[in-house]
Amino acid sequence: MNSEKIKNSLNVSPGIRVGVLGFGGLGQAAAKVVAGKQEMILVAAADQKGYAYAAEGLNTEESIATYQSQGSLGYLEPIGTLTNQSIEDLIEIAEVDGYFLALPNLPNDFIPTVAKEFIKSGWRGVLVDAIKRTTAVEQLLAMKDELQAAGITYMTGCGATPGLLTAAAALAAQSYAEIHHVEITFGVGIANWEAYRATVREDIGHMPGYTVEIARAMTDAQVEALLDKTNGVLTLTNMEHADDVMLEVAGIVGRDRVTVGGVVDTRNPKKPLSTNVKVTGRTFEGKISTHTFTLGDETSMAANVCGPAFGYLKAGRQLHQRGIYGIFTAAEIMPQFVR
């Protein structure tokens, strides 16, 4: 019996109505995560060419199969709609408590632009993203007053890193009187880069000689050629990663003391190295020590991004119900476990 049938057989209240914007590899993984949750129900999802909405809940397997075979949720009968402005149209008609923005942040102002669409529409609820770039998060933080006035609770940088590891760093920092350094190292393994085109392009944008604009303009053939040269492995150092600004805004450590890097293997689902965060500091006794928090190698990128994202959506929902609006980061708010 699949998780959706179990949910129905237990007569579990659907709880938080969620939507997923973007239905590539990450969006599809998000849909699978929600399907296993008792406290959430996926009612809406959108891609570049269309959307699907059902107040009683979407069938995850049918949604994914339709997208993979026909290229858009708009073909999902009888609840799909083909449109060139899928996000705007979905916001207009769907009753959704919170959206996970599983969207590519290419260019850097794309997700802030989407946030402005929500503000303009008059929609009120919770938005969660898993974006990486410092400059993108800074643009969103600058929208705090607009989001607050619109009645939107926005949770930014709420994936794995930034997100889960940023929160772990914020928690680990409590042992120290002074933080000397936060070092985040990630390992990602994916069987097929084409399932995560946007994510891989964002990573390429961090490589020497590349920018977000260059990576965005690359054809699939050019990406393939680059991956052939590197045997499918991307090694990233000193990345522009929003963990830095998030920990700085939270008052934990200056961004100049935060470093992020990692290795992405685009041809092997096994992680090339373990993902961890190391927090080094001085205790009140004058001792120098390092806390290390390591993610299990068996947890995938999708699990480590989508799980925390929906945990932050639940936390954001609780804030929103208390009338607390504006923008918050993973370093300021702890996610809530979603059953």
Side-chain angles (χ1 to χ4, degrees):
M1 183 180 289
N2 67 34
S3 55
E4 289 175 275
K5 289 180 179 177
I6 292 173
K7 193 184 296 186
N8 293 334
S9 69
L10 293 174
N11 294 317
V12 175
S13 171
I16 304 172
R17 299 165 298 182
V18 302
V20 174
L21 301 185
F23 213 65
L26 190 61
Q28 292 172 42
K32 293 176 183 177
V33 168
V34 176
K37 301 295 185 183
Q38 299 176 21
E39 297 179 271
M40 292 182 171
I41 180 171
L42 180 66
V43 298
D47 55 61
Q48 195 172 18
K49 300 175 183 177
Y51 67 83
Y53 171 64
E56 70 278 10
L58 298 178
N59 182 299
T60 300
E61 293 177 0
E62 290 180 2
S63 298
I64 292 174
T66 298
Y67 180 86
Q68 291 182 349
S69 63
Q70 297 182 263
S72 176
L73 290 161
Y75 291 104
L76 183 61
E77 295 291 346
I79 55 175
T81 301
L82 291 167
T83 170
N84 290 324
Q85 48 182 28
S86 57
I87 295 176
E88 296 92 323
D89 291 349
L90 182 59
I91 296 170
E92 185 73 24
I93 61 99
E95 292 187 15
V96 175
D97 299 314
Y99 283 97
F100 173 39
L101 310 185
L103 298 165
N105 193 45
L106 299 170
N108 276 339
D109 63 351
F110 179 61
I111 288 181
T113 299
V114 171
K116 290 177 182 177
E117 286 293 334
F118 277 95
I119 293 171
K120 186 172 67 175
S121 73
W123 179 84
R124 299 168 69 89
V126 182
L127 298 177
V128 178
D129 71 44
I131 59 179
K132 305 174 187 177
R133 286 267 175 176
T134 300
T135 48
V137 169
E138 286 176 327
Q139 289 177 52
L140 287 163
L141 291 174
M143 294 169 59
K144 178 180 179 179
D145 292 343
E146 296 173 69
L147 291 163
Q148 195 167 33
I152 293 173
T153 305
Y154 196 117
M155 315 295 289
T156 189
C158 296
T161 176
L164 177 60
L165 295 184
T166 329
L171 185 62
Q174 307 309 311
S175 296
Y176 304 114
E178 179 186 21
I179 306 302
H180 292 170
H181 188 218
V182 175
E183 180 183 8
I184 294 174
T185 305
F186 61 82
V188 173
I190 53 178
N192 179 4
W193 85 269
E194 292 176 331
Y196 291 91
R197 284 185 173 91
T199 299
V200 171
R201 280 190 170 82
E202 283 190 66
D203 288 336
I204 290 172
H206 286 283
M207 294 174 64
Y210 292 85
T211 64
V212 169
E213 291 73 21
I214 291 172
R216 183 190 180 203
M218 291 174 70
T219 65
D220 285 358
Q222 288 173 323
V223 173
E224 287 279 8
L226 173 62
L227 295 178
D228 284 341
K229 289 181 181 178
T230 65
N231 292 319
V233 175
L234 302 178
T235 301
L236 309 165
T237 59
N238 294 320
M239 300 171 71
E240 184 207 326
H241 232 252
D243 303 87
D244 59 3
V245 66
M246 289 163 56
L247 289 168
E248 184 172 85
V249 167
I252 294 168
V253 65
R255 68 180 71 190
D256 60 318
R257 297 189 178 190
V258 180
T259 56
V260 181
V263 178
V264 180
D265 189 340
T266 64
R267 296 176 178 173
N268 189 342
K270 183 179 179 181
K271 291 183 181 180
L273 51 86
S274 296
T275 296
N276 66 83
V277 56
K278 295 180 180 179
V279 181
T280 300
R282 175 182 57 80
T283 69
F284 76 94
E285 302 103 334
K287 303 289 186 179
I288 306 301
S289 180
T290 298
H291 286 327
T292 302
F293 176 72
T294 304
L295 302 184
D297 288 344
E298 295 75 20
T299 57
S300 65
M301 175 188 72
N304 290 330
V305 172
C306 297
F310 288 112
Y312 279 107
L313 196 155
K314 180 178 177 180
R317 175 69 170 159
Q318 293 175 355
L319 293 175
H320 193 268
Q321 289 176 319
R322 291 161 54 193
I324 300 173
Y325 314 133
I327 187 163
F328 306 91
T329 76
E332 299 171 277
I333 306 293
M334 292 299 290
Q336 301 288 319
F337 183 74
V338 186
R339 296 190 307 276

